[in-house]
């Protein structure tokens, strides 16, 4: 996604916040700020100093700054302890959400009119999807952990219409993936948030099991991608373990191979690019993944399964993204892609 003028303040604020977290000296903080300001100063459009060049992604610029801060501080993962706390906060909320999603029908129960994922237990699946979106509030690049009221955000997202809601299309796409044994790539965002992703994937697999009657596969084949290195409070392999994903059948942990927020194709591994290219359905969690995952049929030779199923689930946290998507700031959305940015 193109960098906008609004991104400047966000980049500077996030840089300062991370420098303070790492207890950098004033000189070290100045060096980090100098890096981000120099990057910004080189990316104005020729003849139009008020517009920033689109190829300078704010996510990519901040990834470079985070690497500099880690080097200056000597701390490999400055968010490690807070990520553990995020996971614990989410795990404490999980039992109540599981009652809403599963009730007494964890392994058994009725199906919809035709037994497909898209029609069975629609309300329960909707709760699981909304809970996963609500978890996107656990974003320590923007907010202090002490200021995040996850329970309040959950209540709002569960009881308010989504600003964009293509969840029915998502469920139909999962039916298609089940019928065609096509892998579903879920791209994780933040620690803590992934606990709610676990709930959503459990609900998807439960629905898949109940759908299984006459044909083929009883479980979705899910790749769950976490970061390969520290990127603010983005989820890594340890968070996957702490979130309890071992309890979810059919889910394979994979790595982006990178240490950038989002999934800029230039900053992930060849294996990750290959998974993006071969996924039948992509579920992209979080705003940074939305900003960086511009999947088109020609981007990576993508579309090996002859279909284009890409869905972005996130909370809209900045005005620039709100303008791009066409919703109000703070909205919860399920956007159907591929989404090609102007």
């Amino acid at each position: 996604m193109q960098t906008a003028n609004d991104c400047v303040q966000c980049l500077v604020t996030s840089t300062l916040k991370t420098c303070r977290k790492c207890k950098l000296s004033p000189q070290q903080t100045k060096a980090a700020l100098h890096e981000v300001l120099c990057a910004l100063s080189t990316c104005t459009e020729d003849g139009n100093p008020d517009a920033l060049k689109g190829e300078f992604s704010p996510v990519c610029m901040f990834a470079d700054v985070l690497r500099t801060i880690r080097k200056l501080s000597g701390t490999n993962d400055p968010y490690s302890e807070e990520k553990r706390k995020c996971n614990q906060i989410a795990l404490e909320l999980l039992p109540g959400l599981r009652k809403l999603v599963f009730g007494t029908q964890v392994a058994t129960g009725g199906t919809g009119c035709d037994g497909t994922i898209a029609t069975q237990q629609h309300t329960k699946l909707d709760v699981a999807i909304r809970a996963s979106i609500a978890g996107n509030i656990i974003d320590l690049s923007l907010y202090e952990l002490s200021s995040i009221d996850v329970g309040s955000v959950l209540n709002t997202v569960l009881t308010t219409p989504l600003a964009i809601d293509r969840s029915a299309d998502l469920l139909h796409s999962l039916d298609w993936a089940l019928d065609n044994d096509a892998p579903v790539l879920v791209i994780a965002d933040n620690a803590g948030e992934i606990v709610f992703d676990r709930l959503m994937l459990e609900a998807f697999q439960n629905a898949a099991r109940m759908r299984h009657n006459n044909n083929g596969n009883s479980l979705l084949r899910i790749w769950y991608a976490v970061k390969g290195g520290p990127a603010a409070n983005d989820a890594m392999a340890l968070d996957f373990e702490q979130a309890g994903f071992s309890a979810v059948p059919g889910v394979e942990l994979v790595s982006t191979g990178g240490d950038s927020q989002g999934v800029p194709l230039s900053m992930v591994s060849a294996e990750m690019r290959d998974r993006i290219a071969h996924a039948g359905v992509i579920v992209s969690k979080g705003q940074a993944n939305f900003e960086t995952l511009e999947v088109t049929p020609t981007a990576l030779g993508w579309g090996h399964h002859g279909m284009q199923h890409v869905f972005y689930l996130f909370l809209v946290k900045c005005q620039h993204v709100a303008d791009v998507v066409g919703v109000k700031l703070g909205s919860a959305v399920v956007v159907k892609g591929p989404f090609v940015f102007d």
Side-chain angles (χ1 to χ4, degrees), residues 50-126:
D50 293 327
L52 297 175
K53 289 181 181 178
E55 64 264 27
F56 286 84
S57 160
V59 171
C60 294
M61 280 191 275
F62 192 51
D64 290 336
V65 172
L66 285 175
R67 293 185 195 107
T68 296
I69 292 172
R70 291 202 303 270
K71 182 177 180 180
L72 289 170
S73 68
T75 304
N76 182 54
D77 189 357
Y79 288 85
S80 59
E81 178 58 22
E82 284 187 300
K83 287 194 290 185
R84 185 193 64 77
K85 291 178 180 177
C86 290
N87 291 331
Q88 187 57 44
I89 289 168
L91 285 167
E92 289 171 1
L93 292 166
L94 189 60
L97 287 168
R98 287 183 63 82
K99 289 180 181 178
L100 288 175
V101 173
F102 297 116
T104 59
Q105 300 183 39
V106 177
T108 63
T111 62
C113 58
D114 61 3
T116 62
I117 294 173
T119 59
Q120 66 173 291
Q121 295 183 308
H122 184 272
T123 301
K124 294 176 182 291
L125 289 170
D126 185 60

Side-chain angles (χ1 to χ4, degrees), residues 23-328:
K23 296 180 171 57
L24 295 191
S25 69
Q27 272 310 109
Q28 290 172 322
T29 299
K30 184 178 179 180
L33 286 169
H34 183 263
E35 179 172 331
V36 72
L37 291 172
C38 282
L40 287 165
S41 70
T42 63
C43 63
T44 55
E45 294 281 9
D46 294 337
N48 183 7
D50 293 327
L52 297 175
K53 289 181 181 178
E55 64 264 27
F56 286 84
S57 160
V59 171
C60 294
M61 280 191 275
F62 192 51
D64 290 336
V65 172
L66 285 175
R67 293 185 195 107
T68 296
I69 292 172
R70 291 202 303 270
K71 182 177 180 180
L72 289 170
S73 68
T75 304
N76 182 54
D77 189 357
Y79 288 85
S80 59
E81 178 58 22
E82 284 187 300
K83 287 194 290 185
R84 185 193 64 77
K85 291 178 180 177
C86 290
N87 291 331
Q88 187 57 44
I89 289 168
L91 285 167
E92 289 171 1
L93 292 166
L94 189 60
L97 287 168
R98 287 183 63 82
K99 289 180 181 178
L100 288 175
V101 173
F102 297 116
T104 59
Q105 300 183 39
V106 177
T108 63
T111 62
C113 58
D114 61 3
T116 62
I117 294 173
T119 59
Q120 66 173 291
Q121 295 183 308
H122 184 272
T123 301
K124 294 176 182 291
L125 289 170
D126 185 60
V127 169
I129 291 169
R130 285 167 176 263
S132 177
I133 296 170
N136 189 228
I137 194 63
I138 307 174
D139 187 341
L140 302 187
S141 292
L142 296 177
Y143 314 116
E144 294 294 334
L145 180 56
S146 59
S147 71
I148 301 173
D149 188 341
V150 183
S152 176
V153 176
L154 274 167
N155 184 64
T156 299
V157 176
L158 291 176
T159 58
T160 305
L162 301 180
I164 299 175
D165 187 2
R166 302 301 295 272
S167 54
D169 294 318
L170 169 58
L171 298 180
H172 282 295
S173 293
L174 295 178
D175 277 314
W176 174 87
L178 194 62
D179 287 340
N180 291 274
D181 193 29
V184 177
L185 174 62
V186 181
I187 305 175
D189 193 12
N190 301 312
E193 177 180 351
I194 72 168
V195 173
F196 305 115
D197 292 352
R198 167 194 158 186
L199 177 71
M200 179 176 68
L201 299 188
E202 282 185 279
F204 289 168
Q205 295 294 43
N206 190 55
R209 275 194 299 261
M210 286 192 286
R211 188 208 164 174
H212 176 53
N213 40 48
N214 295 323
N215 62 335
N217 308 300
S218 61
L219 286 174
L220 293 161
R221 187 154 55 98
I222 299 173
W223 297 330
Y224 191 81
V226 300
K227 296 297 183 293
N233 73 308
D234 281 21
M236 297 173 61
L238 178 60
D239 303 294
F240 181 89
E241 295 174 13
Q242 291 176 354
F245 269 89
S246 59
V248 189
V251 177
E252 176 187 354
L253 174 65
V254 301
S255 171
T256 66
D259 62 353
S260 166
Q261 292 176 302
V263 280
L265 297 182
S266 63
M267 292 187 174
V268 300
S269 65
E271 179 185 355
M272 182 63 182
R273 290 194 294 272
D274 188 64
R275 289 187 187 277
I276 292 171
H278 287 83
V281 179
I282 298 175
V283 180
S284 169
K285 287 296 312 296
Q287 185 172 285
N289 286 332
F290 171 76
E291 292 178 43
T292 53
L293 184 66
E294 185 173 354
V295 181
T296 68
T298 57
L300 292 166
W302 186 76
H304 287 255
H305 294 271
M307 299 291 285
Q308 296 177 3
H309 301 276
V310 186
F311 297 90
Y312 305 92
L313 283 60
F314 63 101
L315 295 175
V316 178
K317 301 170 191 167
C318 79
Q319 190 58 53
H320 179 45
V321 172
D323 293 340
V324 168
V325 180
V327 299
K328 293 181 179 179

